[in-house]
Amino acid sequence: MTVRDVLVKQTLDAHSWTNKLIDSVPRNLWDETPENLDSNISWQVGHLIISEYYHAILVVTGFDEEITEKIDLRQHNQKYGYDSVPLDQVGSVSPKVLKEQLHFMQQKVVKNVSGLTLAALDSPVEQPIKQKHPVAITKFDAVSWNIKHTMWHCGQIATLKRLIHGGYDFGLQKRAK
């Protein structure tokens, strides 16, 4: 198994875990924001859309016109970026649209990572925007960080789900004897 194969598998796994959690929350609860948590499923999904683009596409292979034609990333960055306020975005984009956009982005990320060579992974990140990548020096670093970042938000989504719609056991609950 190559380094790229491992990155693709880990990306697919992170997407699978995240999607299972997201799909387990009824859409009518996506904007529920538990007290003292200051986040909701809609914001988490919107944030994953833009972060997956940034960490696994933009700084890895550059601007992707197909994505920007389908998703207004500037608007999403304002709504779901690092400095955004989740409560300000309640109801601004429907869960159906967010879910479709996330799945589209996830497919693009997997395709992008699948096409990378070892030489490309060892090369420096692209700098198509003024903002320097917060942790990555190489494209490998950026893709690896995307996986970690996605799983970080998967954990946040699991916490939100537990508070607004009960926990999710991932099939791990002990079986009755």
Side-chain angles (χ1 to χ4, degrees):
M1 186 176 267
T2 67
V3 171
R4 180 192 62 214
D5 293 339
V6 171
L7 291 172
V8 169
K9 173 144 181 26
Q10 289 179 343
T11 298
L12 288 167
D13 288 346
H15 290 168
S16 176
W17 283 70
T18 302
N19 290 334
K20 284 177 187 178
L21 277 166
I22 291 167
D23 290 344
S24 74
V25 179
R27 290 181 182 172
N28 66 319
L29 298 178
W30 276 34
D31 286 330
E32 291 292 317
T33 307
E35 190 175 324
N36 298 323
L37 199 52
D38 204 26
S39 190
N40 53 56
I41 302 295
S42 291
W43 186 88
Q44 292 287 326
V45 173
H47 181 73
L48 284 170
I49 292 165
I50 60 166
S51 65
E52 291 247 3
Y53 178 73
Y54 178 72
H55 297 300
I57 295 176
L58 187 63
V59 301
V60 174
T61 54
F63 178 79
D64 186 311
E65 191 173 324
E66 182 184 5
I67 293 172
T68 59
E69 287 175 0
K70 189 167 183 108
I71 302 171
D72 185 343
L73 294 171
R74 280 201 173 121
Q75 185 180 66
H76 267 38
N77 194 44
Q78 291 172 349
K79 291 179 180 192
Y80 308 112
Y82 182 75
D83 292 327
S84 65
V85 178
L87 286 172
D88 292 349
Q89 309 317 318
V90 169
S92 66
V93 180
S94 77
K96 180 181 186 291
V97 169
L98 286 170
K99 187 174 173 183
E100 288 170 0
Q101 290 175 343
L102 179 63
H103 286 218
F104 172 72
M105 188 65 72
Q106 289 171 335
Q107 290 169 356
K108 292 292 286 187
V109 165
V110 170
K111 183 178 179 183
N112 204 47
V113 175
S114 296
L116 296 171
T117 64
L118 186 55
L121 286 167
D122 284 339
S123 66
V125 292
E126 304 290 323
Q127 291 294 339
I129 60 175
K130 292 177 186 175
Q131 181 181 345
K132 184 180 174 194
H133 195 283
V135 297
I137 296 169
T138 67
K139 293 175 183 181
F140 172 87
D141 297 336
V143 174
S144 179
W145 174 251
N146 186 59
I147 296 161
K148 294 168 186 138
H149 181 262
T150 299
M151 287 306 294
W152 171 262
H153 284 281
C154 184
Q156 291 182 10
I157 292 166
T159 301
L160 283 163
K161 179 180 173 13
R162 179 176 296 280
L163 293 171
I164 64 173
H165 192 251
Y168 187 79
D169 72 8
F170 292 96
L172 301 175
Q173 285 187 353
K174 294 179 185 177
R175 294 190 173 125
K177 293 183 180 183

